Amino acid sequence: MLCFHSDTFVLPLPAGHSFPMPKYRLLREAVDRDLPAAQVLEAPPASEGELVLAHTPAYVAAVAEGLLSAAQQREIGFSWSPRMAERARRSVGATIAAARAALMQGEGVAANLAGGTHHAHADRGSGYCVFNDVAVAARLMQAEWHRSGSGRAHQGGMLRVLVVDLDVHQGNGTAAIFADDPSVFTLSMHGARNFPARKEASDLDVELPDGCTDEPYLQALDAALAETWRRHGHQPPGLAFYVAGADPHEDDRLGRLKLSAQGLAERDQRVFEALRARGIPVAVSMAGGYGRDIHTTVALQLRTLQLAAHSASAWRATAAVAQAMEESAR
């Protein structure tokens, strides 16, 4: 499985800052050590032309040129610096690379070891999110799919995209960007009383009470996935983005839910199995995770990647059987 990282671009955060910047390096090191099935590559930066597929040109220029106001920087939660701007571009680039590998290169499953920056809107950042990696990658994959000629043979020329956002915080930026786009279906399952205070309307929102544990969470997930497939009828998505936050975990400082490590693993397994059963390639991003012990967060995200790698192996096996059958029929 191909995994893309951008952890060499570290922001100098003040002491006591709540954002766990070291987790990205620790996760990459854990993948290198404990997940031999993964090939880890440094992410390329997203270009300005790619970023404006989901963001306004004025906002992209303000980030690139250091013109964000003090209020804009406070909303993001990071002070501007050249490294901040480069890290944001690389985080988007990692999701683009993962989506391209999963969809265009036939890998089926690929991952960004960061990403899931779902609070970024078209014209502003928020909640530690500068650019919206999933939104940019989704729009770019739709364009590349069409240019490749695949779109003329499938889905009436348009690649239909599914966003499964299971970070504990609502994907408000993603919902707002795709609010009037019927080609992208946004599912967000999140804490009802958690950030952001003002939610946007996803295509399907599932709000969970504080203290939600494994069993009701997984029941809600099953119902949400069933409703998602029902709404797609005979036109399943051609690509999925899975925003797999570790922050619903019971030890998370910001999560307010009470999922166990086993519950999170079962969540991931159900998502991967549902997508693989329908032949939908997926780009996975790690999104949030603010454990009281950073090593707990890293272990949870490593487990997500291990399950993703297992799904990627099964995807390749299925593809090999299909190819063999096709060659046999010739």
Side-chain angles (χ1 to χ4, degrees):
M1 182 178 70
L2 295 176
C3 297
F4 299 89
H5 78 93
S6 54
D7 64 83
T8 53
F9 299 88
V10 177
L11 305 187
L13 300 177
H17 197 286
S18 62
F19 191 77
M21 189 65 67
K23 76 174 181 179
Y24 300 108
R25 172 183 57 82
L26 293 171
L27 180 59
R28 175 175 54 82
E29 291 173 351
V31 170
D32 285 337
R33 182 182 64 245
D34 300 328
L35 189 54
Q39 180 182 2
V40 181
L41 304 170
E42 184 171 273
S47 69
E48 291 190 14
E50 290 167 341
L51 293 171
V52 298
L53 293 172
H55 294 284
T56 63
Y59 177 61
V60 172
V63 174
E65 299 167 19
L67 301 177
L68 295 172
S69 68
Q72 287 175 309
Q73 293 176 65
R74 282 195 301 272
E75 184 174 0
I76 292 171
F78 299 141
S79 297
W80 186 89
S81 69
R83 292 187 72 82
M84 176 266 221
E86 183 65 11
R87 179 182 179 275
R89 292 176 63 211
R90 296 271 177 166
S91 184
V92 176
T95 295
I96 289 172
R100 189 177 283 137
L103 175 68
M104 306 300 290
Q105 298 170 15
E107 293 290 325
V109 184
N112 178 357
L113 300 187
T117 46
H118 58 173
H119 300 309
H121 287 61
D123 60 350
R124 68 187 189 278
S126 179
Y128 305 142
C129 304
V130 181
F131 298 124
N132 193 308
D133 61 309
V134 165
V136 174
R139 290 260 170 86
L140 182 60
M141 289 306 101
Q142 287 181 321
E144 291 187 359
W145 176 258
H146 181 75
R147 288 198 301 268
S148 74
S150 299
R152 289 189 287 276
H154 302 284
Q155 302 182 31
M158 175 59 71
L159 176 69
R160 296 169 64 84
V161 174
L162 168 65
V163 180
V164 179
D165 190 337
L166 302 187
D167 186 280
V168 81
H169 306 105
Q170 197 224 19
N172 58 329
T174 310
I177 288 171
F178 293 123
D180 299 315
D181 187 344
S183 70
V184 180
F185 186 93
T186 53
L187 160 61
S188 180
M189 202 163 104
H190 51 266
R193 298 177 58 200
N194 214 318
F195 180 89
R198 181 177 178 272
K199 310 289 195 287
E200 300 284 349
S202 307
D203 290 300
L204 178 57
D205 283 301
V206 180
E207 296 198 322
L208 302 166
D210 286 1
C212 183
T213 55
D214 291 355
E215 184 175 356
Y217 184 98
L218 293 171
Q219 289 175 349
L221 174 61
D222 287 344
L225 291 174
E227 176 63 14
T228 298
W229 309 135
R230 188 191 68 79
R231 292 199 198 181
H232 282 86
H234 298 297
Q235 277 194 309
L239 174 65
F241 291 88
Y242 178 33
V243 182
D247 41 13
H249 186 250
E250 59 192 351
D251 189 55
D252 198 88
R253 291 180 287 114
L254 306 182
R256 302 175 70 154
L257 302 188
K258 294 295 181 182
L259 268 69
S260 68
Q262 293 80 6
L264 279 174
E266 181 63 26
R267 173 201 72 171
D268 295 338
Q269 185 70 19
R270 293 187 189 192
V271 171
F272 290 132
E273 286 183 352
L275 294 173
R276 184 165 56 84
R278 290 163 177 80
I280 304 171
V282 57
V284 187
S285 54
M286 294 296 97
Y290 310 90
R292 292 177 177 86
D293 181 345
I294 195 171
H295 297 285
T296 298
T297 298
V298 171
L300 293 169
Q301 294 188 325
L302 176 63
R303 183 58 178 153
T304 295
L305 293 167
Q306 289 170 332
L307 291 167
H310 179 77
S311 183
S313 177
W315 179 282
R316 288 192 297 273
T318 300
V321 170
Q323 182 177 359
M325 292 177 63
E326 182 178 342
E327 292 175 353
S328 176
R330 288 175 184 171

